[in-house]
Amino acid sequence: MLEMLNPVRNRIAVNAFLRSSWSLSVFSRFKYSTIQARKYPDEIVLDGKSYKTDEWTNIPDFILELTKRQLHQNPNHPIGILRDLIERNMKDMGYTFYNNFKPAVTTFQNFDVLGFPDDHPGRSKSDTYYLNKDNLLRTHTSAHELECFQTCETPGYLITADVYRKDEIDRTHYPAFHQLEGARTWSKNTPNLEEQILKDIESIPKTNIIVEDPFREQPINAENPKQDYMTEKQVQLIQVHLKKSVEFLVNQVFETARESARLAGSTEPYLNEPLKIRWVEAYFPWTSPSWEIEVWWKGEWLECCGCGIVQQQVLLNAGLGEDKLGWAFGIGIDRIAMLLFGIPDIRLFWSLDERFSNQFQQGKIATFVPYSKFPGIKRDVSFWLPTDSLLHENDVMEIVRTHAGDVAESVANIDEFVHPKTGRKSQCYRINYQSMDRNLTNEEINEVHNKVEADLKKYFDVEIR
């Protein structure tokens, strides 16, 4: 379930779901880059399957290596700890857990069955890693929605998986990250359906969360409408079930984090504050009505999860009957894990340094203790763009990551102007090279930076200034 831009109702804060399965492409990327064809092997083998490469292939080796890591399967890694915590608390509540889906999916699974138009920016090679024209690395867990709806034998399911998107370079963004998606359905053919939903609501464990929800009794309005195939009563009951389920999940995660902090000796004021959440209206193309949940944590509101009543067309596309109705939600795990474990840089999740991995163990949310701070080395790359260049920021990020790997701490477009006489456009990117494990030398960074400049000239015909 993914957010597409809507010029009329796009009231959602951009930063809220940069890492959510409900936000494939917040920023407009409607043009393909003019990058020249790179050389790839005739075939790529991934998880035992061979894929013939073609003009769409654009996966660098370092991304293929990341697919082997499966952090969400590691019970002693912050991502795996958070997944395990959620699943243990949702056990015996009517959900099937899916954690073993492979990252390679078809364009049909990732886009077509979900109704993405052919010109949607998420299909761009500047956004998505393609094995070939028909196969790619999933950009969201919803790529498995069709299979789960068709095969799940319980009322609901939870999917946890690693997903891949080209993205900017900074301490909160990485081209590989993790999502958790949940959904639950009912059938209109169920005898006394409304009574059954009420029973299901009562079965959800109670919490002591302070809830602010002005929409609980009247969940629909002109800006957040119900769908024609549901009655107002059905919408009201299902949204209560959805919200109480999400509230329970949020409560278990954040209360565990609080208890772990107390056991570690923390005396911060937030540990004695009641857990507060609030619901705000949202817009997603695959649900209506829709909401976001925000959690009051350490003195500020944390945007945590997007959710809503599933659009009937999504259920029909999955091959379910017209009698089905239900809800769905999506959470970006990395962002929450960074906050709960106190991890300042998303690159640390992928570190192989035992000084990082030895700090965590299953069932505990421990606060990360920094083990080093090495100085960074900044370099700028300025260039004139050729006429009608379609160079995208993500292409610059990809070139830097290809040569610098995780030594690239941040990349930012710091200057852009058009020459008043020639009309030529100039851009300047500032790159901060900083290792989490060792000191870098000017000599090695100069070598990396020269390769970045060479690739920009070779593949995008820029003129280095």
Side-chain angles (χ1 to χ4, degrees):
M1 307 269 175
L2 310 167
E3 176 193 352
M4 291 192 296
L5 279 177
N6 184 298
V8 178
R9 300 182 61 200
N10 184 28
R11 59 170 298 278
I12 302 172
V14 168
N15 289 333
F17 295 104
L18 286 173
R19 283 284 163 254
S20 166
S21 63
W22 294 55
S23 175
L24 176 64
S25 183
V26 176
F27 302 106
S28 298
R29 300 170 186 167
F30 290 94
K31 295 181 179 179
Y32 289 85
S33 299
T34 56
I35 191 167
Q36 296 178 20
R38 293 179 180 269
K39 290 185 178 181
Y40 293 93
D42 292 337
E43 63 179 23
I44 294 175
V45 178
L46 181 61
D47 293 318
K49 186 175 180 180
S50 178
Y51 300 87
K52 290 187 178 298
T53 57
D54 58 22
E55 71 277 6
W56 280 80
T57 306
N58 67 345
I59 303 181
D61 289 341
F62 76 89
I63 291 293
L64 291 174
E65 286 299 310
L66 293 180
T67 66
K68 302 174 183 178
R69 298 289 301 279
Q70 298 295 291
L71 302 184
H72 64 290
Q73 303 280 28
N74 183 347
N76 297 311
H77 188 282
I79 299 298
I81 292 170
L82 189 53
R83 176 191 69 79
D84 178 68
L85 174 62
I86 292 170
E87 290 185 356
R88 281 193 287 111
N89 284 285
M90 301 292 280
K91 185 180 179 181
D92 300 324
M93 292 179 63
Y95 298 93
T96 298
F97 303 131
Y98 296 94
N99 302 311
N100 298 311
F101 287 126
K102 302 301 182 183
V105 298
T106 65
T107 53
F108 176 79
Q109 291 173 297
N110 201 79
F111 297 123
D112 300 340
V113 74
L114 296 171
F116 281 71
D118 290 342
D119 61 349
H120 189 275
R123 293 179 182 261
S124 168
K125 291 171 68 176
S126 289
D127 271 48
T128 297
Y129 292 109
Y130 284 89
L131 290 157
N132 54 38
K133 181 180 180 181
D134 299 318
N135 299 274
L136 51 88
L137 297 185
R138 61 181 166 232
T139 62
H140 51 149
T141 49
S142 295
H144 305 289
E145 184 178 277
L146 174 67
E147 181 178 351
C148 291
F149 273 135
Q150 290 178 337
T151 63
C152 185
E153 296 181 355
T154 54
Y157 66 78
L158 294 178
I159 305 171
T160 306
D162 47 331
V163 298
Y164 300 83
R165 298 180 204 160
K166 295 187 177 184
D167 214 335
E168 57 197 285
I169 298 177
D170 60 32
R171 295 191 177 198
T172 61
H173 294 85
Y174 203 75
F177 52 103
H178 302 81
Q179 295 176 344
L180 183 144
E181 176 175 320
R184 185 173 179 122
T185 61
W186 290 263
S187 171
K188 289 184 178 181
N189 298 330
T190 301
N192 303 313
L193 173 60
E194 293 178 2
E195 291 182 15
Q196 181 58 54
I197 299 176
L198 280 170
K199 290 180 181 178
D200 292 337
I201 292 172
E202 287 301 312
S203 70
I204 300 171
K206 305 297 186 293
T207 70
N208 293 319
I209 287 181
I210 297 175
V211 179
E212 178 185 326
D213 184 6
F215 317 105
R216 190 67 55 108
E217 298 304 321
Q218 296 291 333
I220 56 177
N221 56 55
E223 293 299 312
N224 213 12
K226 82 173 186 69
Q227 301 167 62
D228 292 339
Y229 83 110
M230 295 179 65
T231 67
E232 290 188 13
K233 185 63 174 178
Q234 289 168 348
V235 172
Q236 200 277 330
L237 289 174
I238 290 179
Q239 63 97 24
V240 171
H241 189 282
L242 162 62
K243 291 177 177 179
K244 284 187 174 292
S245 298
V246 173
E247 288 165 7
F248 172 71
L249 185 156
V250 166
N251 180 77
Q252 299 308 101
V253 169
F254 283 86
E255 287 298 344
T256 300
R258 248 209 287 237
E259 183 60 25
S260 295
R262 290 192 189 99
L263 292 174
S266 175
T267 58
E268 292 188 61
Y270 80 93
L271 296 175
N272 299 314
E273 297 175 355
L275 191 63
K276 296 186 293 185
I277 64 99
R278 68 183 180 188
W279 290 97
V280 297
E281 289 185 319
Y283 168 75
F284 305 106
W286 313 123
T287 56
S288 186
S290 306
W291 304 273
E292 301 166 8
I293 185 174
E294 299 178 352
V295 182
W296 183 253
W297 185 250
K298 295 186 178 182
E300 61 181 339
W301 287 106
L302 166 65
E303 292 140 329
C304 188
C305 170
C307 60
I309 308 298
V310 181
Q311 290 276 11
Q312 185 180 35
Q313 191 58 52
V314 173
L315 301 172
L316 295 177
N317 288 350
L320 302 185
E322 294 185 356
D323 62 301
K324 296 295 185 181
L325 65 175
W327 56 251
F329 71 81
I331 296 176
I333 298 180
D334 301 62
R335 184 167 177 265
I336 295 177
M338 289 182 72
L339 290 165
L340 295 183
F341 290 88
I343 294 172
D345 193 315
I346 196 170
R347 293 177 299 165
L348 283 164
F349 285 140
W350 300 89
S351 174
L352 296 173
D353 195 315
E354 291 185 352
R355 290 175 295 177
F356 176 80
S357 58
N358 287 345
Q359 293 191 37
F360 308 103
Q361 64 184 75
Q362 186 174 9
K364 296 183 179 180
I365 297 181
T367 300
F368 170 67
V369 179
Y371 48 83
S372 61
K373 177 64 176 178
F374 295 98
I377 297 177
K378 288 185 171 64
R379 292 287 186 272
D380 290 350
V381 55
S382 301
F383 49 82
W384 294 108
L385 290 164
T387 305
D388 297 327
S389 172
L390 296 180
L391 173 67
H392 190 281
E393 277 195 9
N394 279 356
D395 299 317
V396 179
M397 306 295 169
E398 196 71 8
I399 287 174
V400 174
R401 278 198 173 103
T402 296
H403 295 295
D406 284 351
V407 167
E409 189 267 342
S410 65
V411 179
N413 185 344
I414 62 170
D415 185 55
E416 193 170 297
F417 73 94
V418 176
H419 194 284
K421 293 184 178 179
T422 66
R424 298 181 73 189
K425 185 177 181 179
S426 171
Q427 289 184 338
C428 179
Y429 286 83
R430 176 157 296 163
I431 306 170
N432 186 41
Y433 299 98
Q434 184 177 38
S435 172
M436 296 177 288
D437 307 315
R438 62 183 179 85
N439 278 313
L440 301 174
T441 66
N442 282 307
E443 289 74 14
E444 65 178 308
I445 293 307
N446 288 341
E447 183 178 349
V448 169
H449 198 71
N450 288 339
K451 291 178 180 178
V452 169
E453 291 184 339
D455 271 11
L456 285 168
K457 291 190 292 184
K458 178 178 180 181
Y459 295 113
F460 292 96
D461 196 28
V462 305
E463 180 184 335
I464 302 296
R465 297 181 58 199

